């Protein structure tokens, strides 16, 4: 019984043999390898399709946008010329250049000129006289050095700035005359300064060349007469009585060698008419009308012969 159940001996195997098995190279069919590679390529293509669904991470988009970005950077790298803006351009212009530009624009577009006239502030007496003095300075600077300053040669040298001064004087004077100038004081102040400029106009050897100054005296004298008549209608002509304009005008006429007698006669007639309407006043042993009182006040001799009253008034 034991012999039947006994464990059988294992079959001898060459595993325990000392002889080694020969090396064998395992080879697979080439069609299997190519099939697997194609499947791998298909998977890669599918993964590329999935990646291309995202614009931010797609290799195709990044490769296409890269040259555009480089082109934009290249355009911004260097400076580019451009004209100045209007505010900066106006900062570079001086007063003369700015006036020339504005004058040209107004000539080409009359409507703009009308707007400038309406928007510009009214010229003052000081600014107008300053412009005339600038023309006078240009006239004096144009005289030749040495030689006779009253000769025809000197006149020809300074004729252009002389005409410019006379033209400016003829343009500014009507601006300060009534009815354009409603204030007689402003008109008288301008005429006072303009007459001083006329006095300083050069005298020439030739009678023909002196006609410009003669004409300027005639025009300024008529302007004085017009303003004096208008001033006599305002506040009873008080500013003519006590403003000292009679003395100023008399001095101007003296410097003009009597060529402003028309204005002097106009003022004398106005002051005489004002003084004739007043009745003489009793003052001590003599009477005083308005004209004599005014003259004594200006000369500082008023009340010299009157007794001094003391005590309660």
């Amino acid at each position: 019984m034991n012999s039947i159940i006994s464990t059988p001996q294992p079959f001898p195997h060459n595993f325990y043999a000392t002889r080694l098995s020969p090396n064998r190279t395992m080879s697979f069919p080439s069609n299997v390898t190519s099939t697997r590679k194609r499947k791998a390529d298909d998977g890669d293509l599918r993964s590329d399709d999935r990646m291309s669904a995202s614009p931010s991470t797609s290799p195709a988009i990044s490769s296409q946008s890269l040259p555009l970005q480089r082109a934009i950077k290249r355009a911004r790298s260097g400076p580019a010329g451009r004209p100045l803006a209007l505010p900066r351009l106006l900062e570079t212009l001086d007063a003369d250049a700015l006036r020339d530009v504005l004058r040209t624009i107004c000539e080409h577009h009359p409507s703009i000129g009308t707007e400038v006239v309406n928007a510009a502030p009214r010229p003052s007496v000081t600014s107008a006289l300053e412009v005339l003095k600038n023309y006078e300075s240009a006239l004096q600077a144009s005289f030749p050095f040495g030689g006779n300053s009253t000769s025809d040669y000197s006149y020809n040298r300074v004729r252009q700035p002389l005409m410019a001064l006379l033209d400016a004087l003829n343009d500014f004077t009507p601006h300060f005359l009534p009815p354009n100038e409603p204030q007689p004081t402003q008109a008288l102040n301008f005429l006072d300064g303009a007459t001083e400029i006329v006095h300083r106009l050069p005298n020439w050897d030739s009678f023909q060349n002196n006609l410009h100054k003669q004409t300027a005296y005639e025009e300024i004298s008529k302007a004085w007469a017009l303003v004096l008549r208008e001033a006599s209608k305002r506040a009873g002509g008080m500013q003519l009585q006590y403003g000292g304009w009679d003395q100023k005008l008399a001095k101007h006429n003296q410097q003009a060698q009597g060529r402003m007698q028309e204005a002097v006669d106009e003022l004398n007639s106005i002051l005489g008419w004002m003084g004739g309407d007043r009745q003489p006043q009793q003052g001590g042993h003599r009477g005083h009308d308005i004209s004599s009182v005014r003259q004594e006040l200006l000369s500082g001799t008023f009340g010299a012969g009157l007794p001094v009253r003391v005590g309660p008034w």
Side-chain angles (χ1 to χ4, degrees), residues 140-198:
Q140 298 298 330
S142 62
F143 273 91
F145 293 99
N148 186 9
S149 60
T150 61
S151 63
D152 293 343
Y153 171 76
S154 298
Y155 171 79
N156 293 329
R157 287 287 301 271
V158 303
R159 187 178 185 279
Q160 183 175 358
L162 175 61
M163 293 296 104
L165 173 59
L166 294 176
D167 290 342
L169 187 63
N170 292 332
D171 291 337
F172 277 104
T173 300
H175 176 77
F176 291 95
L177 297 181
N180 189 65
E181 176 54 62
Q183 299 296 331
T185 303
Q186 297 293 324
L188 292 172
N189 288 331
F190 172 80
L191 292 178
D192 186 30
T195 306
E196 292 290 344
I197 295 177
V198 176

Side-chain angles (χ1 to χ4, degrees), residues 31-280:
N31 57 354
V32 177
T33 306
S34 61
T35 304
R36 291 182 178 177
K37 289 184 177 180
R38 283 197 296 273
K39 291 182 178 180
D41 294 339
D42 294 340
D44 294 339
L45 291 176
R46 286 194 298 271
S47 63
D48 291 343
D49 294 339
R50 289 193 300 268
M51 294 176 65
S52 62
S54 177
S56 60
T57 60
S58 175
I61 294 180
S62 62
S63 61
Q64 294 177 1
S65 62
L66 182 59
L68 181 59
Q69 294 176 357
R70 290 179 178 176
I72 294 176
K73 290 182 178 180
R74 228 181 279 112
R76 294 180 179 177
S77 59
R82 65 178 184 274
L84 280 174
L86 180 60
R88 295 301 183 189
L89 179 61
L90 295 178
E91 289 178 353
T92 63
L93 301 178
D94 57 2
D96 294 335
L98 188 60
R99 279 193 291 266
D100 292 340
V101 172
L102 186 59
R103 186 184 301 110
T104 303
I105 295 175
C106 294
E107 290 175 354
H108 293 168
H109 305 280
S111 60
I112 297 179
T114 304
E115 294 181 5
V116 172
V117 172
N118 296 331
R122 184 180 180 86
S124 63
V125 174
T126 303
S127 62
L129 293 177
E130 188 66 26
V131 172
L132 294 176
K133 290 179 181 178
N134 291 337
Y135 281 105
E136 185 182 11
S137 299
L139 170 64
Q140 298 298 330
S142 62
F143 273 91
F145 293 99
N148 186 9
S149 60
T150 61
S151 63
D152 293 343
Y153 171 76
S154 298
Y155 171 79
N156 293 329
R157 287 287 301 271
V158 303
R159 187 178 185 279
Q160 183 175 358
L162 175 61
M163 293 296 104
L165 173 59
L166 294 176
D167 290 342
L169 187 63
N170 292 332
D171 291 337
F172 277 104
T173 300
H175 176 77
F176 291 95
L177 297 181
N180 189 65
E181 176 54 62
Q183 299 296 331
T185 303
Q186 297 293 324
L188 292 172
N189 288 331
F190 172 80
L191 292 178
D192 186 30
T195 306
E196 292 290 344
I197 295 177
V198 176
H199 292 326
R200 295 192 293 266
L201 289 175
N203 297 313
W204 309 101
D205 297 336
S206 173
F207 173 80
Q208 186 70 23
N209 297 339
N210 286 323
L211 290 179
H212 300 300
K213 189 172 184 178
Q214 178 69 26
T215 304
Y217 272 125
E218 293 177 359
E219 295 297 331
I220 205 72
S221 181
K222 293 178 181 179
W224 273 95
L226 176 61
V227 174
L228 291 173
R229 285 193 297 269
E230 187 66 24
S232 64
K233 304 174 185 178
R234 305 293 182 88
M238 295 292 293
Q239 53 187 340
L240 297 179
Q241 297 182 27
Y242 305 107
W245 292 108
D246 55 343
Q247 294 182 354
K248 293 180 181 180
L249 191 55
K251 182 180 178 180
H252 285 314
N253 187 42
Q254 183 179 2
Q255 289 183 264
Q257 299 178 355
R259 284 175 284 191
M260 296 184 62
Q261 190 63 38
E262 179 182 355
V264 174
D265 294 341
E266 184 68 28
L267 181 59
N268 290 335
S269 63
I270 293 173
L271 295 179
W273 175 79
M274 290 180 179
D277 289 345
R278 301 296 183 90
Q279 297 296 328

